[in-house]
Amino acid sequence: MTPSLLIGNWKSNTTFAEAESLIDAAKAAQNATGAEVWVGVTPPFPWLMALRERIQDSNVWIGAQNCSATDMGAYTGEVTASMLKECATFIIVGHSERRAYYGETDEVVREKVARVLEQDLHAVLCVGEVLAQREAGEAEAVVKSQLLAALEGYPEDRLYRLVIAYEPVWAIGTGVAATADDAEEMCAFIRGVLDKRFGDSNHIIIQYGGSANEKNAAELLTKPHVGGLLIGGASLKPEAFAAMIQAAADVAE
Ligand code: 13P
């Protein structure tokens, strides 16, 4: 069975000193698990190169929170996937905060997925509905449309480079996670969409994200279609993140 994949998305948080101690705590927590659990973190851009050195002796992966839709060129302020290849193994693409605050459309998200693949990195593609869409019974249609738009033209021989993170927007940073049953239902739906799109999508891990914490991690991870967690706030608390890694290990055993 594929191990669970837990990713801590630090967003625009941490001083460099805090980042160093968080990464050390993640390394220790990952080392302490008996079962195999895949652990990644996405620090802010300026910390990536230094933290890459700090994870050399561990199995913790470093990723980026975003990348440019273009490759190198006269695009002031943009950070390209080709630059991130020096220090990251995966890149989060299409996070709802990027879509909501920085106007990222499905087309931009698709371009970013393409840039990530060009560099042989892994893409963690985020999808999820807002509350009004869920209440209107449109959650599945929204998620399906985000998925198919972002994965248009996605090469079938690169499925192992793809992770999908189902992050209902109403659950992000609110303290109100989806119930484990709701997360399971949508992750199962996503699996169906991916199977239809690609034939067999077994190589693709599907995560849940949105107020995942040390209290609900075990229940979420017990669900058969929830292959991991994308964790915001709780990943900034070393004990909470460590407890979630341990919960994933316990579920796997
Ligand atoms: P929270 O865990 O803080 O709700 O954030 C989830 C998220 O957006 C991870 O990418």
Side-chain angles (χ1 to χ4, degrees):
M1 209 175 98
T2 310
S4 285
L5 172 62
L6 267 57
I7 294 177
N9 176 10
W10 298 356
K11 307 190 180 183
S12 292
N13 293 298
T14 68
T15 63
F16 184 57
E18 287 165 350
E20 285 182 311
S21 63
L22 275 180
I23 206 106
D24 289 348
K27 275 165 48 174
Q30 210 259 354
N31 277 336
T33 58
E36 207 185 353
V37 179
W38 288 340
V39 177
V41 293
T42 60
F45 285 145
W47 311 158
L48 290 176
M49 283 304 268
L51 293 188
R52 184 193 65 158
E53 300 303 320
R54 223 172 164 98
I55 52 143
Q56 289 305 336
D57 58 343
S58 80
N59 293 317
V60 173
W61 293 319
I62 297 271
Q65 300 170 19
N66 180 34
C67 71
S68 173
T70 63
D71 204 351
M72 291 189 198
Y75 306 107
T76 302
E78 289 294 284
V79 176
T80 67
S82 54
M83 296 166 188
L84 291 167
K85 190 179 170 69
E86 304 274 346
C87 47
T89 54
F90 67 95
I91 302 180
I92 295 175
V93 176
H95 192 281
S96 64
E97 287 152 13
R98 305 282 330 159
R99 295 180 194 250
Y101 306 147
Y102 304 99
E104 281 191 14
T105 61
D106 285 332
E107 290 66 36
V108 169
V109 173
R110 176 164 67 232
E111 285 301 315
K112 292 188 176 192
V113 170
R115 298 294 83 74
V116 173
L117 281 193
E118 276 167 13
Q119 301 304 323
D120 286 330
L121 296 170
H122 294 260
V124 178
L125 169 64
C126 299
V127 294
E129 80 286 356
V130 300
L131 187 58
Q133 291 165 328
R134 174 154 282 258
E135 288 175 344
E138 295 166 357
E140 289 188 350
V142 168
V143 165
K144 182 178 180 182
S145 130
Q146 288 175 340
L147 278 174
L148 294 181
L151 297 177
E152 201 181 304
Y154 191 99
E156 289 180 17
D157 60 349
R158 301 302 219 39
L159 297 185
Y160 64 96
R161 295 223 175 266
L162 183 60
V163 173
I164 304 295
Y166 167 56
E167 295 210 299
V169 179
W170 46 268
I172 295 178
T174 60
V176 184
T179 64
D181 285 341
D182 283 347
E184 166 66 7
E185 194 177 329
M186 185 61 91
C187 289
F189 172 76
I190 290 172
R191 177 65 68 198
V193 172
L194 295 173
D195 277 345
K196 199 154 180 214
R197 167 72 179 77
F198 294 113
D200 175 4
S201 73
N202 265 345
H203 286 301
I204 305 173
I205 293 174
I206 303 174
Q207 297 178 305
Y208 166 78
S211 297
N213 58 38
E214 69 279 26
K215 297 193 185 78
N216 58 25
E219 194 188 355
L220 286 161
L221 290 168
T222 310
K223 296 293 177 186
H225 290 93
V226 178
L229 300 171
L230 184 53
I231 306 155
S235 74
L236 296 168
K237 300 178 198 150
E239 295 83 16
F241 195 52
M244 295 171 85
I245 293 169
Q246 188 56 52
D250 292 344
V251 169
E253 269 168 2

